[in-house]
């Protein structure tokens, strides 16, 4: 069955899957029809990302409980004792409904309502905020899981691409496109990456939160969209290159976080500098000047390529934003020896907020 036929049976409009939108001029879905010996990407394959994401969430839970947690304890990661606040319905109601940091006028009003000195009300809110902060062990477990995935993903992708001629000469990414058969390993790699980012979206509200929550949502949506459309349009070679470039620095950042939680300051700072160099070189030099450049100059312009361009530009803007944070942190925290200061709010968050993840933890 051709891709449009399959997707129409899935209840999607056949017009959406018009080959003029998805493929360059002169190409049709018939050019990507499976045969006995050759297989091409089919959109229905991506439905496996749903059970794949659920499976990864389950694997993560098991990993954090049976691997990361014992390893963290063994290496000396421990949570600080935090004094619990006395139950107070008035203060708790304000905290949950109106804000975690009341202004001076609110403090005076709350003090009168609860029959407490203003100083004690301030202390109550300070301890209540601290009570909601994620534990160090939780952050270590999350960083351990992401380190494990990114490390595996990057070096698996590198092993898959190393012997491919188009890895070294990007112009070959478009040779005989779209008639480029799908290698099974590439199909599974794509599915793994898509499942991982879908799982990240599901778990994002429950993970350690930071101020760049909106940027992370944008990043994850852009990434999922690019993986989806590039697979459907058989842009596997280009997609593999983009994913490899983006995975190159992530595991180094997660390693730096783990070292920070272990209080290995010097090693952590050295690792973070390595991460900064790899991140900036891979995302501000290699990605725009090679991978993206060849996509813009060698690939024909049509509707899908315009959509991909838009999302790639969104990612590049995020790269510039995070690079600024990385450079700012290196100068203010490491090179100048400045006091670690939270560039975010009391609420934390995870990711791929690249540099700021460490800034908060410090």
């Amino acid at each position: 069955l051709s891709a449009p036929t399959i997707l129409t049976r899935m209840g999607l409009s056949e017009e959406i899957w018009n080959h003029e939108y998805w493929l360059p001029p002169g190409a049709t879905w018939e050019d990507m029809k499976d045969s006995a010996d050759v297989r091409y990407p089919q959109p229905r394959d991506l439905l496996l990302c749903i059970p794949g994401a659920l499976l990864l969430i389950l694997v993560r839970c098991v990993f954090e409980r049976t691997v990361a947690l014992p390893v963290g304890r063994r290496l000396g990661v421990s949570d600080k004792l935090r004094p619990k606040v006395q139950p107070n319905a008035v203060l708790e109601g304000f905290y949950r409904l109106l804000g975690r940091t009341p202004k001076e006028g609110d403090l005076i009003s709350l003090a009168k309502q609860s029959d407490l000195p203003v100083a004690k009300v301030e202390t109550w809110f300070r301890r209540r905020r601290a009570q909601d902060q994620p534990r160090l062990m939780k952050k270590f477990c999350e960083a351990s899981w992401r380190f494990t995935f990114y490390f595996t993903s990057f070096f698996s992708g590198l092993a898959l691409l190393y012997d491919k001629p188009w890895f070294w000469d990007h112009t070959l990414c478009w040779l005989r496109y779209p008639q480029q058969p799908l290698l099974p390993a590439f199909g599974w790699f794509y599915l793994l990456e898509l499942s991982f980012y879908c799982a990240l979206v599901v778990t994002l509200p429950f993970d350690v939160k930071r101020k760049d929550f909106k940027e992370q949502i944008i990043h994850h949506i852009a990434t999922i969209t690019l993986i989806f459309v590039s697979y459907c349009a058989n842009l596997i070679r280009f997609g593999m290159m983009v994913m490899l470039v983006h995975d190159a620095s992530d595991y180094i950042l997660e390693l730096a976080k783990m070292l920070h939680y272990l209080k290995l300051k010097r090693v952590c700072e050295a690792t973070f500098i390595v991460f900064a160099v790899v991140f900036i070189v891979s995302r501000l030099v290699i990605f725009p000047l090679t991978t993206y450049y060849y996509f813009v100059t060698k690939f024909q312009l049509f509707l899908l390529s315009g959509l991909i361009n838009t999302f790639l530009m969104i990612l590049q803007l995020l790269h510039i934003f995070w690079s600024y944070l990385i450079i700012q942190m290196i100068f203010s925290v490491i090179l100048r020896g400045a006091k670690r200061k939270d560039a975010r709010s009391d609420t934390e968050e995870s990711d791929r907020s690249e540099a700021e993840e460490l800034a908060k933890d410090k």
Side-chain angles (χ1 to χ4, degrees):
L1 295 177
S2 65
T5 303
I6 293 166
L7 291 160
T8 301
R9 290 183 181 181
M10 291 168 55
L12 299 174
S13 171
E14 186 172 357
E15 181 61 28
I16 295 176
W17 299 95
N18 189 313
H19 64 84
E20 294 180 359
Y21 303 155
W22 290 83
L23 300 175
T28 69
W29 291 116
E30 294 300 316
D31 297 326
M32 292 167 54
K33 201 169 183 179
D34 290 348
S35 66
D37 302 322
V38 178
R39 187 176 183 278
Y40 291 96
Q42 298 295 342
R44 68 177 183 273
D45 301 339
L46 298 180
L47 291 175
L48 290 173
C49 76
I50 299 174
L54 296 176
L55 179 61
L56 279 178
I57 293 173
L58 177 62
V59 171
R60 171 183 170 174
C61 291
V62 173
F63 174 86
E64 290 186 358
R65 286 176 175 269
T66 62
V67 178
L69 187 61
V71 168
R73 286 173 178 167
R74 182 110 182 181
L75 294 176
V77 178
S78 59
D79 296 320
K80 293 182 179 179
L81 293 176
R82 297 173 180 173
K84 291 186 178 181
V85 297
Q86 293 294 325
N88 188 304
V90 174
L91 302 184
E92 185 68 27
F94 187 96
Y95 181 88
R96 290 184 176 276
L97 300 176
L98 299 177
R100 296 156 51 98
T101 310
K103 297 179 181 178
E104 185 177 350
D106 295 323
L107 287 172
I108 295 172
S109 175
L110 289 168
K112 291 178 180 179
Q113 293 177 51
S114 57
D115 195 24
L116 292 171
V118 173
K120 285 195 174 183
V121 174
E122 285 183 304
T123 301
W124 189 95
F125 274 92
R126 184 171 60 254
R127 291 180 176 178
R128 184 65 180 83
R129 288 194 297 269
Q131 197 171 291
D132 278 354
Q133 292 296 313
R135 300 286 182 174
L136 191 64
M137 182 60 79
K138 174 178 172 60
K139 294 192 282 188
F140 179 83
C141 289
E142 287 185 8
S144 299
W145 163 249
R146 289 192 297 268
F147 167 79
T148 302
F149 181 87
Y150 292 140
F151 183 89
T152 304
S153 174
F154 174 70
F155 286 100
S156 297
L158 190 62
L160 289 174
L161 294 177
Y162 186 78
D163 62 344
K164 303 298 183 290
W166 41 270
F167 176 69
W168 304 102
D169 182 359
H170 290 0
T171 59
L172 299 179
C173 283
W174 322 115
L175 184 65
R176 292 191 295 275
Y177 176 80
Q179 292 179 310
Q180 298 173 346
L182 174 67
L183 296 177
F186 287 178
W188 286 111
F189 187 86
Y190 246 76
L191 182 61
L192 178 65
E193 290 278 334
L194 181 59
S195 299
F196 177 73
Y197 281 101
C198 288
L200 277 186
V201 171
V202 173
T203 60
L204 195 59
F206 310 102
D207 289 341
V208 178
K209 291 185 175 62
R210 294 190 182 277
K211 251 187 181 177
D212 65 342
F213 184 85
K214 293 180 180 178
E215 288 83 356
Q216 289 188 49
I217 291 293
I218 293 171
H219 175 272
H220 295 341
I221 290 175
T223 301
I224 290 171
T225 301
L226 287 170
I227 293 175
F228 179 84
V229 299
S230 64
Y231 187 88
C232 293
N234 199 22
L235 288 167
I236 302 296
R237 294 181 179 181
F238 174 69
M240 291 288 293
M241 298 294 299
V242 172
M243 286 190 285
L244 187 68
V245 169
H246 283 74
D247 285 345
S249 60
D250 291 334
Y251 71 94
I252 307 175
L253 173 64
E254 301 304 329
L255 177 60
K257 294 178 195 174
M258 293 166 64
L259 292 170
H260 170 65
Y261 304 144
L262 294 172
K263 304 189 187 305
L264 300 174
K265 177 183 173 183
R266 295 301 180 190
V267 183
C268 169
E269 291 180 347
T271 304
F272 186 79
I273 291 175
V274 172
F275 155 73
V277 172
V278 175
F279 182 91
I280 292 171
V281 169
S282 63
R283 303 201 188 189
L284 297 188
V285 179
I286 295 177
F287 173 68
L289 298 184
T290 58
T291 309
Y292 182 66
Y293 170 80
Y294 283 105
F295 175 76
V296 174
T297 58
K298 303 297 181 182
F299 199 49
Q300 291 176 282
L301 181 64
F302 59 103
L303 183 63
L304 183 68
S305 65
L307 177 66
I308 292 175
N309 258 314
T310 300
F311 280 97
L312 288 176
M313 287 303 299
I314 290 172
L315 288 182
Q316 191 60 20
L317 290 174
L318 289 173
H319 298 163
I320 295 170
F321 168 70
W322 282 321
S323 295
Y324 167 75
L325 296 180
I326 291 169
I327 294 170
Q328 184 183 55
M329 181 182 172
I330 288 176
F331 277 95
S332 65
V333 176
I334 297 176
L335 298 184
R336 295 180 184 175
K339 180 181 178 181
R340 271 71 170 163
K341 185 177 180 182
D342 184 7
R344 305 177 176 190
S345 64
D346 284 323
T347 23
E348 297 183 302
E349 195 197 314
S350 82
D351 145 85
R352 292 203 168 258
S353 164
E354 268 59 0
E356 284 281 287
E357 180 79 68
L358 273 177
K360 169 62 188 177
D361 294 329
K362 293 187 178 216

